[in-house]
Amino acid sequence: MSGTFVGMPAFPTAARAALGDTQLRRNLAHATQTIRDKRALVVAEVEDWEDLRLAGAGVKEAALRDLATHLETLEASLTRAGATVHWARDAAEACAIVASITHAHGADEVAKVKSMATAEIGLNEALEAEGIAAWETDLAELIVQLGDDLPSHILVPAIHRNRAEIREIFQRRMGDVGKAAPADLSDEPAVLAGAAREHLREKFLRAKVAVSGANFAVADTGTLVVVESEGNGRMCLTLPEVLVSVVGIEKVVATWADLDPMLRLLPRSSTGERMNPYTSTWSGVSPGDGPQEVHVVLLDNGRTRALADDVGRQALRCIRCSACLNVCPVYERVGGHAYGSVYPGPIGAILNPLLNGVSDEQTASLPYASSLCGACFEVCPVRIDIPSVLVDQRAAVVDSHRNDRVPSAEALAMKATAWAFSDSRRLAWAERASGIAGRVITRFSRTTLPGGRAASGRLPGPAAGWTGARDLPAPPAESFREWWDRTDGGQR
Amino acid sequence: MTSARDDILAAVRSALADVSPAVSVPAAPRAPDRGDLVALFVERVEDYRAVVTRCTSAELGGVVAEVLGARTSVVPPGLELEVPNAVVDDAFTADQLDAIDAVVTRARVGIAETGTIVLDHQPDQGRRAISLVPDLHVCIVDVSQVVADVPDAIALLDPSRPLTWISGPSATSDIELNRVEGVHGPRTLHVVLVL
Ligand code: SF4
């Protein structure tokens, strides 16, 4: 029904392909510029934004540091409010729980509210294998689903599509799965939104089972919170008889009052609005109002792994606002698909390795998908120091290769450097060799750096990977020691 | 075999074995005094392209009737306002609600800073479905219900009730990140502010 990230190449390969797609780069540059401007305006309106960030980070950090207690409190409050609580160690367990609830009600379809947790566990594909159709109802998710595409942004999964492409997807595919798009569909955003309204309405009205995530789960009251724009969330949370919410264990906040900084931080950081059009909160079952059977699946799927990482733990504070994606120069150029995960951009570059470890090449490439410029940390509403976590994850990647039988070129170079630097005679010899190399490069090189210094282009052999994207300045012909000897420390 | 619950809680505890749960959480700052809250509320609600009409309580019935015009409407059982041609909600199905043009409700609180209205779905607002499916939502807010900012609303609201926070008509930013009004929720929000 939709694509899969499984088997994606490592970031550098995927990024190179994405960089060649000029349409993608234009769409992304336009969209991220729009959202950056909007965010900047509404953030500037809040005089004490930095203090609000500190409060938001504090609320989430406090919840994480006593997570077991809060999870038990949440479970008790939810149960008291009439909800059924399930626990899932991994994606397969969570998907199986949702499928069995759906089967128990004899349903062969579910209506879905956009949720990162259900995207992460591949719920749609798992349900499809069980004969259950999962209808995405968020406009961008619908565009991705109908286009057999992959999400490329946390907030706007179809950010890589422009209006003309969306019109084409709607016209080609809507009729296959429900109400067809009108024949005279234009590419006006309002008209496209109207077509989505028509297409999805029959699905909302007949859905028996809905699946959601939650932006926050309040431990002391058993309240779940869904923040949205279109009203598809309200439809799914209100009309069906049965509601299943898949909630990552890191979504917990301790108290109802803790929602205050979060609900002020999230919409301004995310869509650049003072408040998003709709926020729904519910605590279990409300007699005579909304679903009368409410399930909550508390999901681990790597979160306890991340929680054990002293530097990386802060990534679990993330409220999925996507501000870090929108300001990231790397994301803006390569787009979300190159990250090979439902979590792209700066947060994806740390969250994927933290949740899954760095044993596969694709995930291990992610901590390097950054120039460490720090823009992500500056905008993050919960002050996740993404650059520090990136550096720490790079160390984790290097550590994971310590016992490799064939050492990497980088490891060999580092070893050789250590050997040369630890003895002054060896160092003097190495510098002389470098000076000769420098004179050779200067004579033959066709690359000149700003300032006129010669540089090597792409070097052959093991250094090719490093020099493929960088110019290596030619070493100076005379080393510092040679200069010192010749001039007696600058006296002559 | 241990349960998933026990495994997860044990994994959480072992992950945090050397971590102190004590963190100081700084209090969230308050927005400075903005002066006339009602004026700010109106300005910010209108900023979402919602329509705002001000009236006295004596004028309310006439204003609501005028806003509705010839439209059919549903009202909650506890609205306490005569609305011409309205049907009182009687556990209508979603399909039945879909055939009705408009809904008239009251509200629980209005937030000036963000232009937000919160419904807590008491009998004067009705269950969630009625203020969702019809295409026009006429929402009556009393000026005394307007508070300054989000923390004031949080303090007033009862989390055990279902709550719907509404900031303008339904909208999306999913196409090229431009805001477009009118997706699945009511495409028109008309706020009647009673002075
Ligand atoms: S890391 Fe911070 S900025 Fe990025 S999505 Fe999460 S909360 Fe938002």
Side-chain angles (χ1 to χ4, degrees):
Chain A
M1 195 187 291
S2 58
T4 165
F5 282 115
V6 175
M8 277 281 289
F11 183 82
T13 311
R16 200 166 302 124
L19 284 170
D21 185 341
T22 49
Q23 181 67 60
L24 173 77
R25 292 183 65 179
R26 247 199 312 271
N27 294 354
L28 276 172
H30 172 71
T32 51
Q33 182 68 52
T34 307
I35 191 71
R36 281 198 299 268
D37 293 350
K38 281 167 68 180
R39 176 193 169 276
L41 275 178
V42 293
V43 163
E45 227 176 63
V46 180
E47 284 79 354
D48 297 317
W49 181 254
E50 291 309 317
D51 290 338
L52 199 56
R53 286 176 76 208
L54 284 168
V59 162
K60 292 289 290 189
E61 187 66 23
L64 288 172
R65 280 170 180 250
D66 200 5
L67 189 57
T69 309
H70 296 308
L71 285 171
E72 284 177 326
T73 309
L74 176 68
E75 180 187 41
S77 324
L78 280 167
T79 310
R80 216 178 307 120
T84 307
V85 178
H86 310 258
W87 299 75
R89 277 169 283 225
D90 54 28
E93 283 187 0
C95 292
I97 292 166
V98 180
S100 88
I101 295 168
T102 312
H103 282 315
H105 289 272
D108 59 3
E109 62 174 6
V110 299
K112 277 191 71 202
V113 190
K114 177 177 172 342
S115 129
M116 292 311 297
T118 60
E120 172 193 321
I121 62 175
L123 180 64
N124 294 6
E125 295 72 25
L127 290 180
E128 195 186 1
E130 293 274 334
I132 300 164
W135 306 119
E136 291 293 352
T137 64
D138 168 77
L139 179 52
E141 291 280 13
L142 177 72
I143 296 164
V144 168
Q145 189 173 45
L146 289 176
D148 288 326
D149 204 349
L150 288 166
S152 70
H153 190 272
I154 296 176
L155 174 72
V156 191
I159 196 170
H160 56 289
R161 297 291 195 185
N162 64 24
R163 56 184 78 188
E165 295 169 292
I166 295 167
R167 172 182 172 275
E168 187 275 324
I169 291 169
F170 278 10
Q171 258 184 336
R172 185 162 49 82
R173 292 281 288 124
M174 272 184 170
D176 298 345
V177 291
K179 188 164 177 172
D184 60 348
L185 187 71
S186 81
D187 66 1
E188 262 307 300
V191 173
L192 294 171
R197 178 185 169 98
E198 290 300 311
H199 177 77
L200 286 174
R201 189 145 281 235
E202 59 174 19
K203 294 197 160 72
F204 291 133
L205 296 183
R206 71 166 188 237
K208 247 174 130 172
V209 180
V211 177
S212 83
N215 293 90
F216 305 100
V218 183
D220 71 344
T221 59
T223 308
L224 298 192
V225 181
V226 163
V227 173
E228 54 134 353
S229 294
E230 296 165 14
N232 62 308
R234 290 177 72 191
M235 290 280 177
C236 293
L237 301 173
T238 308
L239 299 183
E241 296 159 24
V242 182
L243 172 62
V244 190
S245 304
V246 181
V247 182
I249 54 174
E250 84 287 14
K251 294 289 160 195
V252 177
V253 298
T255 68
W256 175 247
D258 284 344
L259 284 180
D260 165 39
M262 308 326 293
L263 289 180
R264 282 195 274 167
L265 288 163
L266 178 53
R268 289 184 202 257
S269 302
S270 166
T271 46
E273 295 169 299
R274 295 187 183 108
M275 192 60 85
N276 49 291
Y278 301 130
T279 296
S280 298
T281 77
W282 72 101
S283 309
V285 174
S286 316
D289 187 349
Q292 296 299 295
E293 187 178 322
V294 171
H295 297 265
V296 178
V297 183
L298 296 174
L299 173 72
D300 181 348
N301 206 34
R303 284 156 178 77
T304 51
R305 188 185 185 288
L307 193 67
D309 187 312
D310 277 326
V311 179
R313 180 179 307 122
Q314 55 183 311
L316 295 177
R317 299 205 293 251
C318 175
I319 55 174
R320 313 279 189 259
C321 72
S322 70
C324 59
L325 278 62
N326 301 332
V327 298
C328 177
V330 176
Y331 177 87
E332 180 178 346
R333 282 161 185 81
V334 303
H337 291 155
Y339 296 81
S341 156
V342 298
Y343 301 114
I347 181 61
I350 59 173
L351 197 57
N352 292 302
L354 285 165
L355 294 176
N356 306 314
V358 291
S359 53
D360 79 283
E361 193 205 351
Q362 198 279 328
T363 313
S365 71
L366 293 178
Y368 297 91
S370 166
S371 63
L372 301 180
C373 75
C376 46
F377 180 29
E378 249 169 68
V379 295
C380 178
V382 286
R383 296 181 52 92
I384 299 170
D385 183 355
I386 295 176
S388 294
V389 184
L390 281 166
V391 170
D392 195 58
Q393 285 302 306
R394 289 180 186 184
V397 173
V398 173
D399 284 344
S400 75
H401 289 289
R402 287 246 182 267
N403 298 320
D404 288 4
R405 275 197 303 140
V406 183
S408 69
E410 186 189 1
L412 283 177
M414 288 297 174
K415 239 195 201 121
T417 308
W419 179 79
F421 274 29
S422 62
D423 180 296
S424 69
R425 267 173 318 131
R426 288 182 212 148
L427 183 57
W429 176 85
E431 284 172 352
R432 267 196 310 280
S434 154
I436 294 166
R439 284 189 288 272
V440 173
I441 290 174
T442 308
R443 189 161 337 132
F444 293 107
S445 98
R446 273 164 290 159
T447 314
T448 310
L449 295 178
R453 187 167 175 189
S456 76
R458 189 182 171 94
L459 290 176
W466 202 84
T467 52
R470 301 171 182 85
D471 294 321
L472 180 66
E478 187 177 43
S479 74
F480 177 75
R481 288 159 177 257
E482 287 168 334
W483 170 83
W484 185 274
D485 282 347
R486 181 169 60 76
T487 64
D488 193 13
Q491 306 287 318
R492 279 199 288 264
Chain B
M1 204 181 100
T2 53
S3 71
R5 175 187 189 277
D6 295 346
D7 276 359
I8 294 171
L9 288 173
V12 169
R13 289 205 173 87
S14 100
L16 297 171
D18 302 324
V19 177
S20 155
V23 227
S24 70
V25 181
R30 300 244 2 155
D33 191 349
R34 303 268 194 218
D36 185 349
L37 286 187
V38 172
L40 181 67
F41 176 71
V42 171
E43 176 202 310
R44 300 248 152 129
V45 172
E46 286 177 336
D47 214 35
Y48 297 121
R49 278 173 253 182
V51 188
V52 183
T53 306
R54 285 180 243 214
C55 69
T56 63
S57 57
E59 294 163 339
L60 180 61
V63 167
V64 169
E66 196 178 319
V67 171
L68 289 173
R71 291 185 186 84
T72 57
S73 62
V74 57
V75 295
L79 186 70
E80 298 195 352
L81 183 76
E82 251 340 290
V83 179
N85 307 320
V87 288
V88 177
D89 177 38
D90 184 20
F92 294 140
T93 64
D95 281 306
Q96 285 171 317
L97 290 172
D98 196 34
I100 299 173
D101 302 327
V103 57
V104 183
T105 71
R106 295 191 187 258
R108 178 72 185 91
V109 56
I111 306 173
E113 186 74 26
T114 60
T116 303
I117 293 158
V118 187
L119 309 189
D120 66 359
H121 303 283
Q122 308 240 22
D124 61 347
Q125 301 146 56
R127 61 198 176 97
R128 285 173 283 174
I130 68 164
S131 44
L132 171 63
V133 181
D135 207 10
L136 165 66
H137 182 186
V138 181
C139 189
I140 303 165
V141 181
D142 196 278
V143 286
S144 67
Q145 295 179 309
V146 176
V147 300
D149 203 356
V150 173
D152 309 294
I154 300 246
L156 277 176
L157 293 163
D158 173 4
S160 71
R161 301 200 58 83
L163 303 175
T164 307
W165 299 48
I166 298 172
S167 305
S170 94
T172 181
S173 302
D174 282 355
I175 302 167
E176 301 177 7
L177 284 178
N178 286 310
R179 182 171 163 130
V180 188
E181 282 77 22
V183 200
H184 305 296
R187 283 182 284 192
T188 310
L189 174 66
H190 197 126
V191 176
V192 181
L193 189 64
V194 185
L195 306 170

